[in-house]
Amino acid sequence: MTSTDPNWWRDAVVYQIYPRSFADANNDGTGDVEGMISRLDYLQDLGVTAVWVSPWYPSPMADGGYDVADYCDIDSRFGTLAEADAFVAEAHARGIRVLIDLVPNHSSDAHPAFRAALASAPGSPERAMFHFRDGRGPDGDEPPNNWGSLFGGPAWERVIGPDGPEQWYLHMFAPEQPDWDWANPAVVALFDDVIRFWFDRGVDGLRVDVADGLAKQPGYHDTPIDPATGLGIATFYPGHPWWNQPELDTIQRHWRAIADGYADRHLGERIFVCEANTKPLSALMRFVDPGRMHTTFNFDMLWCEWEAGSLRAMIDRNLIAHAAVGAPTTWVLGNHDSTRVVTRYGKPETGKPFTLDGVTPEWQHRFAEYFFVQPTDNALGRRRARAAALLEFALPGTAYIYQGEELGLPEVEDLPDAVLDDPAFFRTGGRVRGRDGCRVPLPWSGTEQPYGFGADAAPWLPQPPEWAGLSAAAQDGEPDSTLSLYRRALAIRATHPALGDGTLAWGDTYPGTVLYFTREPGFGFLANLSGDAVTLPSGAEVLVASGPLAGDVVPPDTAVWLSLPA
Ligand code: NOJ
């Protein structure tokens, strides 16, 4: 059963389920809620304490479900609300908490409120739910300002009404994702209902999509232009008119009060985790100030190069900043928007981005050059990714696992153009391939596609032939497999008194190319990021190692957990 510990979220191990690609129980090539239920035993064996489910709502899937047509139902491709309830209950029965995605920045153009807005006149209350504006120029033929979309192209789409072209509406992402106007109290009220709807159903937390983008500066002033495209810069910079506006404080405190209202129910605290790329770190920390959100994703780890000095600085920076506000740090190695960690660490340069930043104008050329020219060494990348997993789970705070990381899956870098589905691919004329390569359905068993994802239907994205050896069944019981490593490490983490929330102390007995820290009582972590072998501290006993050791010698790109002599 789920514990009632109110602090469960301070050291949770959260597994991200991307429902389309997790498990396909009805054999239609797309994952579903029944499939998720069928794999809960696997997740329990893995040792995770929570799951985060990416959007499962009714959606035209213009952006993989982040275009929500109904926030209080389940897409029929994925199942039913009753099945979602069963999933929550079955997860709780196994001691696993459930977080789901809240997508408050934008809806789908199929959402009834947006349909009503289109059918209503300019200036109507229906249009006031979104950002409708007249265009510039004599006939209003030009967008209201120069803002660019994060998926490429302008951030404004013109409405074509029965009498021809009329107003424009704002979409930070695809045109099928109109932005809600959070200055409108009716939008606040609509989402209050959504949040309560899911908390009432027993959901333990919400991952807030684009948490730093909800409020827009009312002046809608132009942003500096990217000369390559002639559009305004869409990514964060201090003073940007839509990122990290002061109004977020009010919105977040309001949501926190709703969540706190559930604290006395038997499930313990309901929580939020923000998806926000706000910089600098001191600005992001305002999101987790007392009375605001519980946690925010720490994307620093995701983009940190595999280099001891950079990692240590990144860890310190985050631990210090979070401790100052009393929030736990989250640690993230991957998600459905990022090149899989095995592949990132298998490139000659290991700290390159592939988030939504990667698809904005100012990044397009650098991104394309990087990802499709640099070769990948998957064996090296996997060795490092395994060491990074031990680092992640040894650090104080909450750890996030993106589905398939526990199998050591690489990015699928050679998906044919014809199967690509990411709106970024289409909106950049194919210059950016997008995020499909990390969303390929999981291999569960068998020697050929669909590898137990479904019974025999072709999965919505094709799986590579090399994945036979990476399936969960192939790795089960293999002592050296990545799956076994994750299970072993998470089992130790669950009971070791030094792990989870708390602090660490760096040891300086090793050169700067080695990460070595201790946690009380009696725990040591060592990762060898040098090119040379390193010897374990004397008297230390190995609890788990990310790769083979030669006696007390730790080879390069290998990490160990240690039990230290008293
Ligand atoms: C962040 C999500 O993780 C990503 O998948 C999505 O495309 C954007 N937000 C827009 O919702």
Side-chain angles (χ1 to χ4, degrees), residues 192-335:
D192 286 0
D193 290 346
V194 171
I195 292 169
R196 289 206 174 89
F197 178 87
W198 290 106
F199 281 164
D200 286 343
R201 302 190 98 81
V203 157
D204 302 277
L206 298 166
R207 174 264 190 197
V208 185
D209 189 60
V210 197
D212 49 350
L214 269 48
K216 277 80 179 174
Q217 277 177 16
Y220 297 91
H221 63 75
D222 284 347
T223 51
I225 288 179
D226 182 302
T229 63
L231 288 170
I233 295 174
T235 44
F236 176 84
Y237 59 81
H240 195 287
W242 75 44
W243 295 117
N244 193 25
Q245 299 302 306
E247 292 79 5
L248 294 179
D249 184 85
T250 311
I251 297 169
Q252 291 176 357
R253 287 182 192 281
H254 176 71
W255 286 351
R256 178 63 181 254
I258 296 177
D260 287 352
Y262 284 80
D264 58 346
R265 313 237 183 143
H266 68 283
L267 286 173
E269 200 155 346
R270 314 300 172 95
I271 66 126
F272 294 93
V273 55
C274 294
E275 188 232 8
N277 287 292
T278 290
K279 293 179 184 59
L281 188 54
S282 56
L284 183 61
M285 288 304 93
R286 301 288 69 75
F287 285 59
V288 283
D289 267 340
R292 286 183 66 170
M293 304 282 86
H294 301 75
T295 54
T296 186
F297 283 137
N298 166 12
F299 292 126
D300 265 9
M301 187 176 207
L302 188 65
W303 304 132
C304 188
E305 59 185 332
W306 184 245
E307 196 280 318
S310 305
L311 284 164
R312 180 167 167 170
M314 179 278 297
I315 291 165
D316 276 344
R317 186 164 71 235
N318 279 284
L319 288 177
I320 291 166
H322 282 80
V325 289
T329 315
T330 65
W331 305 104
V332 178
L333 285 172
N335 58 34

